[in-house]
Amino acid sequence: MMKDVQTLYQHGTLALLVPGLFDGTITTSDLLTHGDTGIGTLAGLDGEVVIINGQAFQAAADGTVNAVTDEMTMPFASVHTFDSQLPTTPVAAMTMMAFTAWLKQFAGLKNAFAGIVLTGTFNHVHVRVAPKQVKPYPPLTTATASQPEFTRNDVTGTVIGYFAPELYAGVTVGDFHLHFISDDRQFAGHLLDFAITTGEVVTQVLPNLLLHLPTDNADFMHADIDLQGLNESINQAER
Ligand SMILES: [Zn+2]
């Protein structure tokens, strides 16, 4: 079967996390049938997930990185199948802010989704990790009001994530949403900042969005998503 390298498969929406719908509604094994590369969070907003080469890892709020097993579930995740045919582009020394600004220009990221895979050597990496919540779940802004942050200097690793047009903010995170995992699999999280020394990036424009909603979850089916202030809450929690 031809590999589908054109589809962003997304389970759940960022908007459903805002009122605190943190139930795990897709198993990792199911998710991995839709892609080998991506990001997400575990049930209960338990940490930051990075999917690389078909393997899922969790950055936990205690700073550890753990293998995610097949039966573990997620409320929100985005994956795609990495296209190894795509060219790699060298990346000069720069900060994360400079990188995202440069990549938008270079790859023409504006109105379509794209998967980003950036491997390299980093002077400095700064991540945060969402702490696990218990039921009854609080709203996202409460859950993420205080999040452990971690830094690492002189580390090799991979940045994985997505660019999404602002139009889809709420469905997902508008603009860039990037996670990091070190080559030694000891350090990971949701990226706040980095300074790369040298590296290479693959930008995979994804024409298709396959949005999979947790229709078996009664809380999701009945929840009121408050559109007023939705993006404010998302930006507060995710930036
Ligand atoms: Zn994240």
Side-chain angles (χ1 to χ4, degrees):
M1 203 177 84
M2 280 273 287
K3 286 207 287 184
D4 174 5
V5 293
Q6 307 223 316
T7 300
L8 169 58
Y9 178 90
Q10 187 176 293
H11 176 75
T13 62
L14 225 288
L16 71 77
L17 297 180
V18 171
L21 296 168
F22 302 152
D23 281 349
T25 44
I26 191 170
T27 62
T28 301
S29 56
D30 185 356
L31 181 72
L32 291 176
T33 65
H34 299 282
D36 56 18
T37 304
I39 58 178
T41 185
L42 288 177
L45 206 69
D46 187 7
E48 310 291 332
V49 170
V50 183
I51 296 153
I52 179 167
N53 299 326
Q55 279 189 292
F57 296 90
Q58 174 221 26
D62 64 359
T64 61
V65 178
N66 312 294
V68 176
T69 55
D70 280 353
E71 69 284 359
M72 286 176 152
T73 57
M74 304 185 203
F76 176 81
S78 306
V79 294
H80 68 286
T81 300
F82 183 74
D83 184 356
S84 55
Q85 310 284 83
L86 287 174
T88 59
T89 303
V91 174
M94 60 180 117
T95 62
M96 177 165 142
M97 194 181 277
F99 168 77
T100 54
W102 166 77
L103 194 65
K104 270 190 210 179
Q105 283 290 320
F106 176 79
L109 302 180
K110 195 171 180 189
N111 290 318
F113 298 95
I116 315 294
V117 177
L118 165 63
T119 55
T121 304
F122 298 78
N123 274 334
H124 185 73
V125 179
H126 182 189
V127 298
R128 59 97 174 138
V129 177
K132 181 185 164 88
Q133 306 296 308
V134 291
K135 275 195 148 177
Y137 295 129
L140 183 65
T141 49
T142 307
T144 56
S146 103
Q147 302 183 75
E149 296 182 12
F150 303 94
T151 59
R152 186 66 58 95
N153 293 331
D154 303 318
V155 58
T156 59
T158 304
V159 174
I160 290 182
Y162 295 93
F163 172 82
E166 292 287 354
L167 177 63
Y168 303 94
V171 174
T172 186
V173 178
D175 211 57
F176 287 92
H177 183 187
L178 304 172
H179 288 190
F180 180 86
I181 188 160
S182 63
D183 284 352
D184 65 10
R185 307 290 188 246
Q186 300 291 304
F187 177 80
H190 172 106
L191 269 168
L192 296 174
D193 197 13
F194 64 66
I196 191 167
T197 317
T198 174
E200 51 186 32
V201 65
V202 173
T203 307
Q204 187 170 340
V205 173
L206 299 162
N208 308 319
L209 171 65
L210 203 174
L211 182 61
H212 180 254
L213 297 175
T215 51
D216 293 337
N217 185 269
D219 286 349
F220 167 72
M221 292 302 270
H222 297 126
D224 293 312
I225 307 285
D226 178 17
L227 291 180
Q228 210 78 18
L230 183 68
N231 285 326
E232 229 167 273
S233 297
I234 290 173
N235 285 334
Q236 197 179 322
E238 292 296 322
R239 296 287 163 80

